[in-house]
Amino acid sequence: MAENLNCRPVITTTSSSYMECGNSSPEDTPWHDKQSMQNVPEYLIVVEVILGLLVWTLIASTEYFRFPPFGWVMFVSVLCWLLTLFLLIISLAKRQIRHEHWTTVVLVFNCSAALMYMSAAIVEATMVGHEVKGHHDYKCWAASTFFAILISLSYVGSAFFSFKSWKRRGEQS
């Protein structure tokens, strides 16, 4: 049997995120993983798209046009949903487009969306009682109010992470 001289041995190793003998730092523990913390804003965008879709479809499935304040709720939910969908597409394309950072634009958008959605949730919560309980509109408006509050909190979280990114970017300049 002739041995092939062009072949080299392949050495494979496995590594662990934990340091041996208890010399690990707090940054290495699974409770404080920097990589997963950087993905939280991307997850929040997906949550905002899904919850925003739920809010405006629940409102649109009712006779919201009979109550003028629901026009504001519908406007906020559709506008923020479309802009968040656009932001999601940009963040997915950001892996190819690295020359432009939109930290200030994203910060302003998330803060504005949080304020607008909170006002829409408050308006919607006050209007839910104007309908007869047990009616289809009441159930949809109550569910939509719940999701509007959740998406408001999601935008607040996104604004927090956007602020941290904006502040870090300002310190690097």
Side-chain angles (χ1 to χ4, degrees):
M1 238 194 229
E3 186 176 321
N4 190 352
L5 298 177
N6 292 332
C7 292
R8 295 184 184 163
V10 176
I11 300 172
T12 59
T13 61
T14 60
S15 64
S16 173
S17 62
Y18 300 103
M19 308 269 309
E20 296 296 325
C21 301
N23 294 331
S24 64
S25 65
E27 287 84 22
D28 294 332
T29 62
W31 302 109
H32 190 272
D33 185 15
K34 289 184 180 181
Q35 182 65 25
S36 65
M37 288 302 288
Q38 291 174 350
N39 292 336
V40 171
E42 293 175 4
Y43 295 141
L44 283 175
I45 291 174
V46 173
V47 167
E48 291 160 0
V49 168
I50 292 169
L51 290 177
L53 181 65
L54 283 172
V55 169
W56 75 261
T57 54
L58 283 169
I59 294 292
S61 67
T62 65
E63 296 179 3
Y64 70 92
F65 48 85
R66 296 168 86 205
F67 300 95
F70 278 111
W72 168 250
V73 176
M74 191 67 171
F75 169 75
V76 168
S77 60
V78 171
L79 177 70
C80 288
W81 182 75
L82 288 172
L83 291 176
T84 304
L85 192 62
F86 181 68
L87 188 63
L88 176 65
I89 292 168
I90 288 175
S91 72
L92 291 175
K94 189 169 69 171
R95 293 180 180 101
Q96 280 79 29
I97 307 171
R98 299 208 186 262
H99 64 280
E100 186 66 38
H101 295 283
W102 291 38
T103 54
T104 307
V105 173
V106 172
L107 175 64
V108 169
F109 169 71
N110 285 326
C111 291
S112 301
L115 289 173
M116 288 191 334
Y117 248 113
M118 189 57 73
S119 70
I122 291 170
V123 165
E124 193 172 10
T126 59
M127 293 299 295
V128 168
H130 290 304
E131 189 64 35
V132 179
K133 289 186 179 185
H135 193 264
H136 171 71
D137 289 353
Y138 175 81
K139 293 175 186 176
C140 287
W141 291 344
S144 179
T145 302
F146 174 73
F147 290 126
I149 291 170
L150 284 181
I151 198 169
S152 297
L153 296 175
S154 178
Y155 277 117
V156 167
S158 291
F160 172 74
F161 285 111
S162 297
F163 177 73
K164 283 179 61 174
S165 175
W166 176 76
K167 189 175 178 183
R168 190 174 342 120
R169 176 127 167 97
E171 290 172 356
Q172 291 175 356
S173 296

